[in-house]
Amino acid sequence: MGNHHVLNHEGADISQNDTWLALSTNELPDGIALSHISLLELLQKQEKLEVLLPLSNLLDSAGKLAGGLLEQVRDLIAQHASRVGVWVTANSDTDLLIGLSEFLLQQDLIVIHVPAFTDGRGFSYAQTLRQIGYQGEIRIAGQFGRDQIAYLLRTGVDSFVLNEHDMQSISDISQAFSALASSYDGRNAAALPMFSGS
């Protein structure tokens, strides 16, 4: 999975405490989790682990949760996991998330993988998850811009996966997390100074 770090919403490196494992698949992007595990390995473990599943592999051709054998596999994984989350690549419409809201609200962690630096759908995905009422952790991984971190925080992202190169090339990572500390977050126009009663 390469050498990556998980940073929380304050920019602190929480990699040492992060125990999420991505279920190995052919399409598993680098950086979804700090480590991965095969389905066979997971089923042979005595202890229950925190496992991230690829959302796309759980869906049928209509974009709904698949039934039958896939549903049985999903249930089997849940029995062998202490917590379950999903990862999704931000390359489809946010309507997909809305249609799966009941399922997504049950997840402990949702990782949004941004496939390209110019792909802004990660913002929409995070905002949509919060709008449907998701209270769990939202994590961003992939090719997001470090100058986008403060904006991603505003849309509801809780944690970020950065590779070793990015960690070394950013002299003061804390600046990326506090760049917009006093800016308007788009939620309450009445909070803007021009609307204050004084």
Side-chain angles (χ1 to χ4, degrees), residues 90 114-126 148 152:
V114 180
F117 176 79
T118 56
D119 193 330
R121 289 175 285 191
F123 293 96
S124 299
Y125 268 49
Q148 297 173 329
L152 287 163

Side-chain angles (χ1 to χ4, degrees), residues 111-133:
V111 178
I112 301 168
H113 180 262
V114 180
F117 176 79
T118 56
D119 193 330
R121 289 175 285 191
F123 293 96
S124 299
Y125 268 49
Q127 190 170 32
T128 298
L129 287 168
R130 293 303 183 206
Q131 288 172 346
I132 64 173

Side-chain angles (χ1 to χ4, degrees), residues 172-188:
D172 186 5
I173 191 68
S174 64
Q175 288 181 352
F177 286 83
S178 60
L180 299 177
S182 62
S183 69
Y184 170 57
D185 67 7
R187 293 189 190 139
N188 182 4

Side-chain angles (χ1 to χ4, degrees), residues 157-175:
V157 174
D158 300 295
S159 57
F160 302 81
V161 181
L162 279 79
N163 64 37
E164 186 69 32
H165 176 267
D166 287 339
M167 289 292 292
Q168 292 176 353
S169 66
I170 301 172
S171 59
D172 186 5
I173 191 68
S174 64
Q175 288 181 352

